[in-house]
Amino acid sequence: MRVNITVNGEARQVDDVWPGESLLYVLRERLGLPGSKNACEQGECGSCTVYMDGTPVCACLVAAGQAEGREVRTVEGLASGDTLDRVQQAFVDAGAVQCGFCTPGLVVAAHDLLTRTPQPSDPEIREALAGNLCRCTGYEKILDAVRMAARS
Amino acid sequence: MKSFAYVSARDVPTAVSAIAGSPNAKFLGGGTNLVDLMRGNIEQPDTIVDITRLPLTGVDLLPDGGVRIGALVRNSHLAAHPLIRSRYPVLSQAILLGASAQLRNMATVGGNLLQRTRCLYFYDTAAACNKRAPGSGCDAIGGFNRNHAILGVSDNCLATHPSDMCVALAMLDATVEVESTRGVRRIPMNEFHVLPGDTPHVETSLAADELVTAVELPSVAVAANSRYRKVRDRASYAFALVSVAAALEVTGTTVTQVRLALGGVSAKPWRATKAEEVLLGAPATEESFRQAAAAELAAATARPGNEFKIGLAERTIVAVLRELVTKGDAA
């Protein structure tokens, strides 16, 4: 089947999609956007978090057909040209990256948090990122990065 | 994942026609549970009817003071809705204590009602599970059953219903509206989910061709003083070991209105009618709360792995009622 999606502001047409594919598969394997990561494939780890129509979702649980006509923004769509988004910059500055697999999902989730709650408390940060797991357990630096981004 | 035909429906008549006569077709709402189950080959529909574009997204005040919620309202939208936050705080709290932000953003009200148990043996296709494969047995009995049911259990299944939202809906006496090519029907929330008995694969009173179109909340004045408390292994993003939805009105020192429902303890959201009977007209004291909790849990059947849930449920009921007395006084 054919799926039409707006991805990072650009209208994309994808052909020969199998209905069992996820939005994540379409983004990574058909549109060449490997930023969103494929980890648990169960909606548990948040590594595949992308914006769909403005709200963060787990792209691994969105069936391709459900994405038809939707606006998707991936981690690749957060930076402006060569200038990183403040959340991305803060992750770099705080050293909030270990193996890096959870990072794109965390960046999108933190980006959404700061859009809705510009000055979050620590419990608010923890709750907002509860759906994003870091198997390296690098949470302290990740919290530092979100606090840093909120200040910048 | 098995191959399937994909149909996107734009209106309710098209959706219910697409599924009529196809017993192995499934409606796809938010997909947060169904897509996962299909990937694990636990659900193997031959047709998927995508209903995410149906116009069932309203949250509307009814003339009698109740609220009608479209089946495709996203969980996060419902929890944040001013009508729900002000009139039914218990429902807002229950939703926000479930899953993660990403999942609540996708999950729908109708899908939340129909989500399947998170019993590990149900998910493990190598295990015996009467729910997944009727007649194969139940590996949870005698297995790892710490998370499993203690009320309304049978010798065939110990699974719990995983929803938080549904516990609040059971407490509020919600009504589920369903539609098929045969017409529209309204099912009281407390009759929507069914106990396992000899047929644990049958989880609801919904027929295979029926679509959940809405949930209606009656006007419940006492719900303004309501609370949902969830006890779990982590502070966030875990299923309930035990949860309690409660609403309470105390006049003078007497309980004049009370509603109680439990989650994490049964295959259905458990309306605690025995506890309500004990409490109604009783003094609003710790002693009454304890008696009510004990009366409700008297029928519990525990296994060694989940025996702790009986005491935990009793203490959580008492704690929530105590909190509501204090809150009610302050109001």
Side-chain angles (χ1 to χ4, degrees):
Chain A
M1 63 186 197
R2 171 176 291 180
V3 179
N4 299 285
I5 325 174
T6 302
V7 182
N8 299 329
E10 197 184 327
R12 304 292 295 264
Q13 180 180 306
V14 195
D15 285 314
D16 301 322
V17 174
W18 178 56
E21 287 175 20
S22 63
L23 169 62
L24 178 64
Y25 186 92
V26 170
L27 291 170
R28 287 178 54 86
E29 309 298 335
R30 296 188 179 276
L31 294 174
L33 292 166
S36 322
K37 294 291 179 276
N38 185 20
C40 76
E41 289 201 287
Q42 298 181 320
E44 293 230 359
C45 76
S47 300
C48 63
T49 303
V50 299
Y51 283 106
M52 188 164 81
D53 288 352
T55 51
V57 301
C58 290
C60 76
L61 292 183
V62 178
Q66 289 182 300
E68 168 67 32
R70 309 282 186 202
E71 285 205 21
V72 174
R73 191 178 181 197
T74 69
V75 69
E76 287 96 337
L78 295 186
S80 318
D82 290 337
T83 311
L84 292 180
D85 177 79
R86 61 178 172 154
V87 175
Q88 293 171 307
Q89 191 60 54
F91 269 65
V92 173
D93 294 344
V97 178
Q98 290 188 45
C99 85
F101 215 77
C102 69
T103 312
L106 275 158
V107 166
V108 175
H111 185 272
D112 175 64
L113 167 67
L114 296 182
T115 306
R116 290 179 294 106
T117 311
Q119 298 299 323
S121 64
D122 276 6
E124 282 172 330
I125 299 174
R126 286 174 184 275
E127 181 57 31
L129 303 184
N132 293 78
L133 305 184
C134 168
R135 296 303 298 268
C136 310
T137 70
Y139 294 109
E140 286 306 322
K141 296 286 187 193
I142 291 165
L143 287 171
D144 286 347
V146 179
R147 292 183 200 114
M148 194 184 284
R151 283 195 303 267
S152 64
Chain B
M1 191 186 295
K2 205 187 78 172
S3 261
F4 58 91
Y6 172 85
V7 181
S8 177
R10 302 291 164 141
D11 54 60
V12 172
T14 311
V16 295
S17 301
I19 211 159
S22 306
N24 205 22
K26 285 255 173 206
F27 292 121
L28 175 65
T32 54
N33 193 208
L34 181 56
V35 170
D36 183 27
L37 291 168
M38 286 168 66
R39 196 165 278 144
N41 286 321
I42 296 150
E43 296 266 19
Q44 300 189 325
D46 50 30
T47 303
I48 281 292
V49 181
D50 181 351
I51 54 169
T52 44
R53 288 173 175 81
L54 301 186
L56 303 174
T57 54
V59 180
D60 302 302
L61 193 59
L62 296 169
D64 66 0
V67 171
R68 182 180 168 89
I69 304 160
L72 289 168
V73 172
R74 306 287 177 178
N75 284 186
S76 48
H77 181 71
L78 186 63
H81 199 284
L83 275 176
I84 304 302
R85 287 172 55 118
S86 58
R87 291 170 187 241
Y88 309 97
V90 65
L91 179 55
S92 190
Q93 290 163 13
I95 293 170
L96 289 176
L97 288 172
S100 67
Q102 289 94 324
L103 297 176
R104 293 190 296 267
N105 285 340
M106 230 10 225
T108 64
V109 167
N112 192 316
L113 287 171
L114 291 170
Q115 65 177 304
R116 313 292 306 271
T117 184
R118 295 323 197 271
C119 172
L120 295 172
Y121 302 104
F122 173 71
Y123 272 76
D124 177 3
T125 50
C129 172
N130 288 321
K131 193 183 273 300
R132 177 171 34 73
S136 64
C138 172
D139 276 350
I141 297 171
F144 180 79
N145 47 37
R146 181 171 179 273
N147 298 319
H148 288 67
I150 53 171
L151 288 166
V153 298
S154 80
D155 291 337
N156 301 299
C157 185
L158 298 182
T160 57
H161 194 264
S163 171
D164 296 295
M165 183 192 86
C166 289
V167 181
L169 293 183
M171 187 277 261
L172 293 166
D173 278 326
T175 303
V176 183
E177 188 185 274
V178 305
E179 188 168 338
S180 69
T181 52
R182 296 170 287 127
V184 175
R185 178 162 89 92
R186 293 165 63 82
I187 308 171
M189 182 63 193
N190 288 297
E191 294 167 23
F192 187 81
H193 298 94
V194 297
L195 292 175
D198 295 331
T199 54
H201 58 289
V202 179
E203 295 171 355
T204 68
S205 50
L206 192 74
D209 64 343
E210 284 177 321
L211 171 71
V212 175
T213 50
V215 170
E216 284 190 7
L217 304 176
S219 173
V220 182
V222 69
N225 188 39
S226 64
R227 173 129 178 101
Y228 187 77
R229 184 151 170 179
K230 182 174 181 178
V231 183
R232 46 187 166 171
D233 286 332
R234 293 189 296 233
S236 183
Y237 201 21
F239 291 98
L241 293 168
V242 163
S243 69
V244 173
L248 183 72
E249 180 193 76
V250 177
T251 308
T253 54
T254 306
V255 174
T256 42
Q257 282 195 68
V258 62
R259 285 160 176 262
L260 265 177
L262 308 178
V265 293
S266 179
K268 62 183 289 181
W270 189 266
R271 183 67 183 265
T273 49
K274 291 192 186 70
E276 290 177 4
E277 278 165 27
V278 171
L279 285 166
L280 195 61
T285 59
E286 190 96 1
E287 181 55 28
S288 309
F289 300 162
R290 275 203 212 100
Q291 281 171 5
E296 192 62 49
L297 274 301
T301 333
R303 312 274 158 175
N306 64 5
E307 213 172 354
F308 75 99
K309 281 195 178 187
I310 297 176
L312 184 60
E314 291 185 4
R315 291 191 298 278
T316 310
I317 290 172
V318 172
V320 172
L321 291 171
R322 189 196 298 135
E323 220 174 325
L324 285 172
V325 170
T326 319
K327 240 177 77 186
D329 284 351

